[in-house]
Amino acid sequence: MQPATDTWRCDGSLHPKQTSHPFDVARQGYVNLLPVQQKKSKAPGDSQASIDARQRFLNAGHYQLLQALIGQQMAQLLAQYERVTTSVAERDKAAVNWLDVGCGEGYYTQAMAQMGADVIETLIAADISKPAVSTLAKVSKAASQLWYQKDKDSAAKTAIYPLVTSAAHLPLHAHSVTGISSIFSPILPEAFSDVLIDAGYLIIAKPDIGHLATMREALFDSVREHDSDKFLQELAPLFTLIGTHRVSTVLRLSADELADLMTMTPYAYRARAENRQALLASSETSPFQTEAKFVVYVLQKSANT
């Protein structure tokens, strides 16, 4: 595929009739590479209401400590990668491409682009939700971070490619990305391993035990605890765990902030309406307090895969 400002076009080499198919660039700056046959619903992924709520909540800084931890771990991995590719020729040849899968509205993606500006050449932001990728593309476009806006002479060389696509069917060459981040998103060991370079990196963020405990207790009669590391066994044949990091923050939320938090989580539709209303009513008089707890796993693609 050859990216261009208005249309991406494939060369047709994979089509039986060598047909070259065009993919239009939306005015917001994203490209939809999700075939109809990969959709499980008319509008897959998070809704616009969920994305808007998440954008308001995250931009208020409530999960800033998690954002900082992810950025810190990513910076350490990229520094390690530069040490491994010792020669200038090696570094020039081995461009750093990073995939943020399940990127959502781009709160973490934007931080990655800023943190890795001197190292990451291509930052692919992928999500199955069109409203999510559209929101990310608009923010990236306003910041002149889209692939067609990058100035070759600019010190910040990271180019963001917002793509609507399925994580299970990534439109990427095998062994083409240096690292992958999956933040509260599906974990697909084989798909991730296929597109990662040898010894490539994987950062996973999940809710930790006790995450939003008081909120869940108020919404549900029975609360099942987060089993944050249940997927590690599935990853074990393909990836090696090299680090586990935890961070937590106490939240004191107004009624509007609490409503946004509920809307951006599965609790919005899993909890009974009367429980949601009662919880919101209680926060009208005094801030609702809960604790956000996260765990971040850092893994590396195993040498024997």
Side-chain angles (χ1 to χ4, degrees):
M1 300 235 330
Q2 297 298 321
T5 305
D6 54 355
T7 304
W8 290 17
R9 189 175 295 276
C10 67
D11 60 12
S13 61
L14 299 180
H15 194 280
K17 297 182 179 180
Q18 302 295 299
T19 302
S20 177
H21 187 79
F23 297 86
D24 292 336
V25 178
R27 60 180 175 81
Q28 296 89 345
Y30 69 89
V31 181
N32 192 340
L33 298 180
L34 182 67
V36 174
Q37 62 268 27
Q38 290 180 11
K39 290 185 176 182
K40 295 183 180 180
S41 63
K42 186 177 180 180
D46 292 333
S47 66
Q48 187 66 60
S50 175
I51 293 301
D52 290 344
R54 185 182 304 159
Q55 190 175 35
R56 289 190 297 267
F57 186 85
L58 295 178
N59 285 348
H62 295 300
Y63 284 6
Q64 192 276 329
L65 288 178
L66 174 62
Q67 185 193 62
L69 174 59
I70 292 169
Q72 178 191 54
Q73 294 306 310
M74 193 172 171
Q76 290 178 5
L77 293 179
L78 292 175
Q80 176 181 320
Y81 178 74
E82 284 201 311
R83 287 195 299 271
V84 173
T85 53
T86 52
S87 71
V88 174
E90 257 188 312
R91 287 198 295 271
D92 288 344
K93 184 179 179 181
V96 174
N97 305 315
W98 194 279
L99 168 65
D100 187 23
V101 68
C103 62
E105 79 306 320
Y107 175 71
Y108 302 98
T109 314
Q110 291 294 325
M112 292 174 192
Q114 295 174 14
M115 182 279 307
D118 296 330
V119 182
I120 300 173
E121 182 173 321
T122 299
L123 179 52
I124 303 161
D127 202 293
I128 201 170
S129 165
K130 188 187 293 186
V133 178
S134 175
T135 300
L136 179 149
K138 285 188 285 188
V139 173
S140 301
K141 186 176 182 179
S144 298
Q145 293 176 313
L146 293 180
W147 80 95
Y148 62 81
Q149 296 176 307
K150 299 309 294 179
D151 184 349
K152 292 181 180 179
D153 297 326
S154 172
K157 64 177 182 177
T158 301
I160 297 178
Y161 289 73
L163 304 180
V164 179
T165 187
S166 166
H169 304 280
L170 292 166
L172 301 172
H173 276 301
H175 317 302
S176 62
V177 297
T178 310
I180 298 174
S181 48
S182 177
I183 303 168
F184 313 126
S185 297
I187 308 301
L188 302 165
E190 292 185 1
F192 292 173
S193 178
D194 285 346
V195 299
L196 275 173
I197 63 171
D198 293 340
Y201 304 109
L202 174 60
I203 295 177
I204 295 173
K206 290 287 185 183
D208 201 3
I209 295 172
H211 178 62
L212 304 179
T214 56
M215 176 177 163
R216 290 184 290 125
E217 288 165 1
L219 290 173
F220 301 102
D221 298 331
S222 176
V223 177
R224 186 173 62 182
E225 195 51 81
H226 290 288
D227 187 6
S228 305
D229 60 358
K230 64 181 179 181
F231 59 87
L232 290 178
Q233 188 172 354
E234 299 172 18
L235 287 164
L238 301 173
F239 292 89
T240 301
L241 181 66
I242 59 176
T244 302
H245 310 272
R246 287 179 162 83
V247 65
S248 63
T249 182
V250 175
L251 305 176
R252 294 178 178 83
L253 307 175
S254 67
D256 288 342
E257 291 172 325
L258 180 58
D260 280 342
L261 178 57
M262 281 194 283
T263 302
M264 66 184 252
T265 66
Y267 311 146
Y269 57 87
R270 289 180 183 170
R272 294 202 302 267
E274 56 268 29
N275 289 0
R276 294 198 305 270
Q277 292 167 0
L279 179 55
L280 287 172
S282 69
S283 65
E284 293 285 356
T285 54
S286 60
F288 178 78
Q289 182 168 309
T290 191
E291 188 172 10
K293 295 185 175 184
F294 309 104
V295 56
V296 174
Y297 302 99
V298 181
L299 303 100
Q300 189 166 26
K301 184 175 173 179
S302 299
N304 60 352
T305 56

